[in-house]
Amino acid sequence: MSNEFKLGARGELKLFANRSGQQFAQKVVDSISEVVSSKISPYSINLSELNVIDFADGEFKPEPKETVRGVDAYLIQNSFDTTSNRSPQDNMMESFMAIRALKVAGAERVTLVLPYHSYSRQDKAKGREPITARLIGEILSLSGADNVLTTDLHADQICGFYPVNTKVDNLRASRVLMPKIREMFPKGKLENLLIMGPDAGGAQRAEYYAKTLGTEIGHASKRRSYSTANQVEKLEVQGDFKGRDILIIDDMIDTGGTIIKASQAVLEKGAKEVYVVCVHPLFNGKSLEMFSKENIKVLGTDTIPRYNSFKEENPWFSEISVAPIHAKAILKLNSNMSLNDLYLE
Ligand code: R5P
């Protein structure tokens, strides 16, 4: 397996993690260790130390604790973290600073591994507001990021918001989700399945899953309040839902309003059972209580760090890891190889 890589082609590989990236980083290290056998030492890859000092006024300062001259550095960071009180702003700031620290300490290349890209819903402007998804790209690029690895961006075009010296690889969670869905709906069950996105923005993703799995597709349209955050005004669904199992697929769950409304709408139209698949389950507001009360099964990924008892407390939720996809992308980048196959299911 390790023969498929040419490790070191882009210089010595070193992995670092910011404070909110520790959980995901450990999974990446474990996945890499499974792929890169200890036989091909010196490539036993561990997490290198990145120290962060906190100051009394809330400022902080990250510092790599070993030399990075000439290395191909990867910084792993989760921007939304349910296990600490660090905000997306704190985490993004920590990323900007750690990237700059690695760059000024002599790293040849710095890749930010950002499994969930915060601010990606701010990809358009109606009035005087900023397109913050682009601003994040500009600041990451200015900080010194040569590459960003992320998963299922809210809008694919965000890759193009980054300046030309920063390459964005938007990896697909479908690579792990699709086999799991096949397992959940084997032949005999698959025929009764209908796939649907909860709004027009999710229609393309739903179409891809429906086409690949060979199922029928339903449609939904959502009207949001543009002035009040997380407020769904109206959600309408179209399709032949009677007696069917419905799989609603979305890039993210924030407060759960969208998914709950879409589930209720299909159940009102006679759906038998509702399943939800979501790449980035943030679960803010009252969403945990709502999902538990409605007894909706949700399959998500681990782009959001969780505290230990989460799964036990929320048995309706199951999780599949995208760390192996990111690990493989890291090994391929360091080997200067194409990531093309990681974009396919
Ligand atoms: C919106 O376009 C996204 O794809 C999600 O549907 C949305 O962000 C989910 O937010 P909430 O769970 O708060 O309705």
Side-chain angles (χ1 to χ4, degrees):
M1 181 93 159
S2 51
N3 289 344
E4 77 179 271
F5 302 108
K6 301 178 192 84
L7 290 182
R10 249 174 53 161
E12 187 189 350
L13 190 168
K14 278 198 184 186
L15 295 175
F16 294 87
N18 271 343
R19 289 178 289 188
S20 282
Q22 296 291 330
Q23 196 180 96
F24 194 77
Q26 199 44 59
K27 295 187 197 177
V28 169
V29 170
D30 293 346
S31 298
I32 289 183
S33 321
E34 275 172 31
V35 174
V36 181
S37 87
S38 52
K39 276 186 236 146
I40 62 157
S41 138
Y43 299 117
S44 76
I45 296 161
N46 296 310
L47 214 50
S48 297
E49 204 187 334
L50 181 70
N51 198 26
V52 184
I53 300 166
D54 283 299
F55 295 98
D57 61 356
E59 290 183 4
F60 48 79
K61 182 171 73 173
E63 184 191 2
K65 293 312 277 182
E66 55 189 77
T67 180
V68 291
R69 276 188 202 279
V71 311
D72 185 27
Y74 295 81
L75 174 71
I76 300 170
Q77 171 65 302
N78 287 92
S79 51
F80 181 80
D81 181 7
T82 62
T83 67
S84 79
N85 54 11
R86 281 186 291 276
S87 69
Q89 292 68 255
D90 294 331
N91 287 328
M92 291 316 293
M93 186 70 187
E94 204 170 305
S95 297
F96 305 147
M97 294 166 81
I99 291 167
R100 179 57 68 92
L102 290 163
K103 230 26 205 289
V104 296
E108 182 65 28
R109 276 202 183 84
V110 179
T111 298
L112 175 67
V113 181
L114 189 65
Y116 165 62
H117 193 298
S118 280
Y119 289 99
S120 64
R121 280 178 293 177
Q122 295 190 36
D123 61 334
K124 52 193 153 322
K126 272 196 179 169
R128 299 188 189 92
E129 70 264 37
I131 298 181
T132 308
R134 176 171 178 158
L135 184 60
I136 293 282
E138 286 172 343
I139 305 175
L140 282 173
S141 188
L142 183 71
S143 306
D146 298 284
N147 209 156
V148 173
L149 285 179
T150 189
T151 333
D152 278 63
L153 280 168
H154 177 65
D156 287 351
Q157 64 270 20
I158 292 171
C159 294
F161 289 2
Y162 278 70
V164 70
N165 49 324
T166 305
K167 164 98 179 79
V168 182
D169 284 297
N170 180 21
L171 304 173
R172 305 293 177 180
S174 57
R175 215 179 148 76
V176 290
L177 289 174
M178 203 77 87
K180 193 76 196 162
I181 299 172
R182 283 204 172 93
E183 228 177 271
M184 287 161 63
F185 299 95
K187 218 169 171 330
K189 251 192 122 184
L190 191 66
E191 292 70 14
N192 195 42
L193 186 67
L194 184 142
I195 294 186
M196 189 182 93
D199 51 26
Q204 210 187 340
R205 178 176 292 100
E207 263 164 38
Y208 175 71
Y209 276 77
K211 196 167 165 221
T212 312
L213 294 163
T215 72
E216 249 180 76
I217 184 150
H219 296 280
S221 65
K222 175 174 83 178
R223 199 172 69 218
R224 262 209 189 282
S225 159
Y226 208 71
S227 48
T228 318
N230 299 106
Q231 186 83 34
V232 179
E233 279 177 352
K234 197 171 174 193
L235 198 149
E236 282 173 345
V237 293
Q238 281 174 350
D240 178 15
F241 303 109
K242 212 167 171 38
R244 309 288 295 268
D245 290 326
I246 314 295
L247 183 81
I248 305 175
I249 185 143
D250 207 0
D251 61 328
M252 62 190 293
I253 292 172
D254 189 354
T255 61
T258 303
I259 290 287
I260 299 278
K261 275 220 158 67
S263 308
Q264 288 167 341
V266 294
L267 286 169
E268 271 164 28
K269 294 213 167 185
K272 193 170 129 221
E273 196 99 46
V274 179
Y275 300 81
V276 172
V277 170
C278 156
V279 181
H280 311 294
L282 273 60
F283 293 137
N284 284 312
K286 294 203 162 63
S287 55
L288 292 177
E289 289 101 296
M290 287 198 305
F291 280 108
S292 168
K293 190 170 145 240
E294 300 277 330
N295 196 23
I296 299 173
K297 294 176 194 69
V298 181
L299 167 67
T301 81
D302 59 351
T303 59
I304 311 298
R306 305 259 173 237
Y307 50 90
N308 286 341
S309 55
F310 184 86
K311 280 176 218 155
E312 208 182 303
E313 288 166 18
N314 301 285
W316 46 268
F317 178 67
S318 56
E319 187 182 88
I320 187 154
S321 181
V322 290
I325 313 174
H326 283 270
K328 202 160 184 193
I330 290 170
L331 294 173
K332 280 180 168 257
L333 286 178
N334 183 250
S335 305
N336 237 346
M337 289 165 74
S338 164
L339 299 195
N340 196 43
D341 67 323
L342 294 182
Y343 281 91
L344 308 169
E345 183 203 346

